[in-house]
Amino acid sequence: MMSAQETADKLNNSLPIHLTASNVQQNPEFVKLLMSLTRHLTDSGMSVAVHKDMLQAEDALREQKLKYLQIWTLYSELKDFLIEYDIKKQDVHPSSATLQLYEALKVSLAQAEALDYIDFHPEGGEQSATLLGLKAEQLLAGEHQRKSLHQSFQQSIIPELETRLRSKCETLASFHKPTKQAENEQLSFAKATQLPAFLENEKQLLDQEKKQLHHNHMLRDKQFTQLYEVLMQSLQILQKLMADHQLQSQAKHDRVMAEWLAAKCDAMCLKVRVLQNQMIRDTYTPEAIQALKRIKASLKDAEEESTAEFHRLTQTLLAYESVGMGFDSLVQQYTTLMAEIDNKKWALSELRQNQGSELDDLWNQH
């Protein structure tokens, strides 16, 4: 019986999923379902039947693509060959046989191109409709007249095409794997013929490296998950230890904190005293002390004068008090008489003003 980790690894390799051993242990029924799916799905999540059909379709497509590329390579080389012939023909006039041969080659190539476009079926049209109403037999009507040139094609054109294609294959092979030393023709051609196999082998190696890279990625994710779980377990244990030992060390922690706060308070008090002394030193400079002494002397003199004045007034008040109660009545009578005198003075001044105004009126009348 496989362990939980082995089961998780098997499912991760068989299906595009990522399970851990804990997932397998916690979900046994779901694991059974996944194990049954491995018989019907591939590692990419595709069904086995669809994957088989896709492989067959890819093989058929690969064959058709190979045929198309072969024909396209030959067609492109013929086009380049004819273009080079037209360029050379401007400098060197060819013989009539050569001219006839190349003209026949152009006609054959044009007919082959036209045959690809002759059959078309527009929407809603007849299935038998062709381009411009032409038939393949009409395009190939003069083909029997050029059969006599087929031997010339095989003797001159085909070897030339083979030489050109061989040269390009050798160039491509040397580009794929360049060499410092010159190689003979047979070895170079042998490398060129083996180039598809080399490329296919390199492609397979790349695919294997991709799979290995994917496998390494899965292993890294697995290790990350395992490390994460271990880390979470460690954190839980650490929290439990902290909760268990926190109360035991709390009293010691509080005592140390109280001592630290007391020491900090003493230090602050000392700093305040130092700051106070610095302020006193900065405030009471020698010049300020001399000024304060002069102010003190002035205030002392003023205090002595005030004391003497207070003493004099006190003596006067005592003298007044020694006279007795009759002095108060005399003062009251004196005050009353002074008030009456002031009133009479005011009345006399008013009377004089009135008399003066009457005399002025009489004088003005006369």
Side-chain angles (χ1 to χ4, degrees), residues 106-235:
K106 289 182 180 180
V107 173
S108 299
L109 189 61
Q111 287 179 349
E113 292 176 350
L115 288 175
D116 290 336
Y117 297 100
I118 194 172
D119 293 328
F120 80 104
H121 305 291
E123 295 182 0
E126 298 180 359
Q127 296 294 325
S128 60
T130 59
L131 182 64
L132 301 177
L134 296 175
K135 303 294 183 180
E137 294 79 6
Q138 295 175 344
L139 292 176
L140 300 176
E143 184 65 20
H144 64 280
Q145 299 177 0
R146 291 187 294 273
K147 288 185 178 180
S148 59
L149 299 175
H150 287 177
Q151 186 175 1
S152 299
F153 286 164
Q154 295 179 356
Q155 292 178 355
S156 60
I157 302 299
I158 293 178
E160 180 66 21
L161 289 176
E162 290 178 350
T163 302
R164 292 168 63 91
L165 291 174
R166 179 174 179 175
S167 176
K168 290 185 177 181
C169 291
E170 292 175 354
T171 302
L172 185 61
S174 62
F175 176 79
H176 174 259
K177 191 175 182 180
T179 56
K180 297 181 180 180
Q181 298 179 355
E183 297 177 346
N184 56 33
E185 185 177 356
Q186 294 181 354
L187 181 59
S188 178
F189 182 70
K191 287 185 176 181
T193 55
Q194 295 297 324
L195 182 60
F198 291 153
L199 294 177
E200 185 66 25
N201 186 27
E202 291 182 357
K203 183 180 178 182
Q204 292 178 0
L205 291 176
L206 288 176
D207 293 338
Q208 292 177 1
E209 290 179 357
K210 287 181 179 179
K211 291 181 179 179
Q212 184 64 33
L213 183 63
H214 178 68
H215 180 68
N216 294 337
H217 182 71
M218 293 182 63
L219 288 178
R220 187 188 64 183
D221 292 342
K222 175 183 174 182
Q223 292 176 356
F224 175 79
T225 304
Q226 292 176 351
L227 292 175
Y228 178 77
E229 291 178 353
V230 172
L231 180 61
M232 293 303 296
Q233 293 175 1
S234 301
L235 289 176

Side-chain angles (χ1 to χ4, degrees), residues 1-7 24 28 31-32:
M1 183 177 181
M2 292 188 297
S3 63
Q5 186 60 49
E6 292 176 349
T7 304
V24 174
V31 171
K32 291 180 181 179

Side-chain angles (χ1 to χ4, degrees), residues 18-144:
H18 180 69
L19 295 177
T20 61
S22 60
N23 298 140
V24 174
Q25 294 175 353
Q26 295 173 3
N27 305 280
E29 297 299 327
F30 182 65
V31 171
K32 291 180 181 179
L33 176 61
L34 293 177
M35 292 296 291
S36 62
L37 286 177
T38 56
R39 296 191 294 269
H40 304 282
L41 298 178
T42 62
D43 55 354
S44 61
M46 186 183 299
S47 67
V48 176
V50 173
H51 182 68
K52 182 179 179 181
D53 295 339
M54 188 184 71
L55 291 178
Q56 293 177 356
E58 288 179 352
D59 292 338
L61 178 63
R62 190 179 298 107
E63 292 179 0
Q64 294 297 327
K65 186 177 180 180
L66 179 60
K67 292 180 181 179
Y68 168 78
L69 291 176
Q70 290 175 348
I71 295 173
W72 177 256
T73 302
L74 182 60
Y75 169 76
S76 300
E77 196 61 35
L78 282 173
K79 295 286 288 185
D80 295 341
F81 184 62
L82 291 175
I83 291 173
E84 292 179 4
Y85 166 74
D86 291 337
I87 295 174
K88 292 179 180 179
K89 186 174 64 174
Q90 297 178 2
D91 298 333
V92 179
H93 186 70
S95 62
S96 59
T98 303
L99 183 62
Q100 183 181 5
L101 179 64
Y102 279 93
E103 291 298 328
L105 180 60
K106 289 182 180 180
V107 173
S108 299
L109 189 61
Q111 287 179 349
E113 292 176 350
L115 288 175
D116 290 336
Y117 297 100
I118 194 172
D119 293 328
F120 80 104
H121 305 291
E123 295 182 0
E126 298 180 359
Q127 296 294 325
S128 60
T130 59
L131 182 64
L132 301 177
L134 296 175
K135 303 294 183 180
E137 294 79 6
Q138 295 175 344
L139 292 176
L140 300 176
E143 184 65 20
H144 64 280

